[in-house]
Amino acid sequence: MIDTPLRFINPKMDLAFRKIFGSDHSHDIVISFLNAILDLTEERTIIEVEILDPYQAPPILDLKE
């Protein structure tokens, strides 16, 4: 067996960050990340998140610009 180095996606890249934290299946990951990064107390923790689609089209095409 040949030992090859493992390659990981850099989560600081926009595309990777959206893939890790922006999907409908990542609610638990997002909650855990936010609770850890914000250092919240046990009484004040995030228990639910709503992930919105960042690619929302404006109601009128002229408003996009």
Side-chain angles (χ1 to χ4, degrees):
M1 178 184 259
I2 300 173
D3 289 330
T4 58
L6 296 175
R7 295 183 186 188
F8 295 100
I9 297 173
N10 183 354
K12 294 183 275 184
M13 292 176 50
D14 185 45
L15 187 62
F17 191 88
R18 276 190 270 147
K19 183 70 174 168
I20 296 168
F21 296 104
S23 72
D24 287 334
H25 306 291
S26 64
H27 291 277
D28 293 337
I29 295 170
V30 172
I31 291 170
S32 178
F33 175 74
L34 290 173
N35 283 326
I37 211 79
L38 296 173
D39 196 29
L40 299 175
T41 63
E42 200 168 304
E43 296 84 29
R44 294 186 57 182
T45 59
I46 297 171
I47 55 172
E48 186 177 338
V49 294
E50 179 182 359
I51 299 173
L52 301 175
D53 183 10
Y55 303 108
Q56 297 179 8
I60 302 172
L61 291 176
D62 293 337
L63 292 178
K64 186 173 183 179
E65 296 174 2

